[in-house]
Amino acid sequence: MTNLARAATIALSVLFGLLLLVALAFGLLGGSSAPLTEEEVLGTWHGDRGARLEVLADGRARLSDASGWQCARGGQPGVFTGEGNWTLGHPSDENPGIRIRFSPEGAPEIQQCNDWFTLSGTGKAGTAGDGSNVWATFFGYKRGAEERFRRAPTG
């Protein structure tokens, strides 16, 4: 092997090593952080347009005064109030969150509304952030006016 070939091999090896370190540092190789936990979603979340979501430890969720919902009573967009249940999850290509199944107030039990409540800024499940600026939205709002939620301080 000539000196030029040896130098090129060493230079490429060093370059590859540096690229690998940068990729690891920025999480580009699919390494995932810890998953979202119940403690991070439990509590009362207040929307910037007046809605309120209570996520309870027993698996129930209560949403009140959420405007613009397609699943409001009568099927027309309107103000939604309802109770349902939730489970932790992670929709594909989205931030982690909870899947909520609601029954609109005054509607038959069989008429349910399902939506994802996804959290941003958690730094969990490979997403951006460090947990200091967490906010959430309902995935279904992406069709219309989005309402941002912040969790009320606990303790």
Side-chain angles (χ1 to χ4, degrees), residues 41-153:
V41 296
L42 293 177
T44 303
W45 295 78
H46 297 277
D48 59 8
R49 294 192 345 224
R52 175 185 163 119
L53 173 66
E54 294 175 77
V55 180
L56 307 171
D58 64 3
R60 290 181 299 137
R62 294 185 194 121
L63 179 64
S64 57
D65 300 324
S67 60
W69 275 61
Q70 292 293 330
C71 59
R73 189 173 182 195
Q76 297 298 316
V79 176
F80 177 84
T81 295
E83 187 167 315
N85 55 56
W86 65 271
T87 55
L88 283 172
H90 195 157
S92 61
D93 298 330
E94 294 295 329
N95 287 337
I98 57 175
R99 177 76 168 171
I100 305 179
R101 289 173 171 76
F102 290 112
S103 293
E105 201 169 78
E109 185 79 22
I110 57 172
Q111 180 185 347
Q112 289 190 348
C113 299
N114 303 310
D115 206 349
W116 284 100
F117 187 67
T118 58
L119 281 67
S120 299
T122 63
K124 297 293 180 117
T127 60
D130 61 7
S132 64
N133 185 26
V134 176
W135 55 274
T137 59
F138 277 99
F139 188 67
Y141 268 120
K142 292 190 173 155
R143 287 177 269 143
E146 184 175 65
E147 184 164 8
R148 282 184 154 210
F149 289 77
R150 297 225 183 244
R151 187 167 65 163

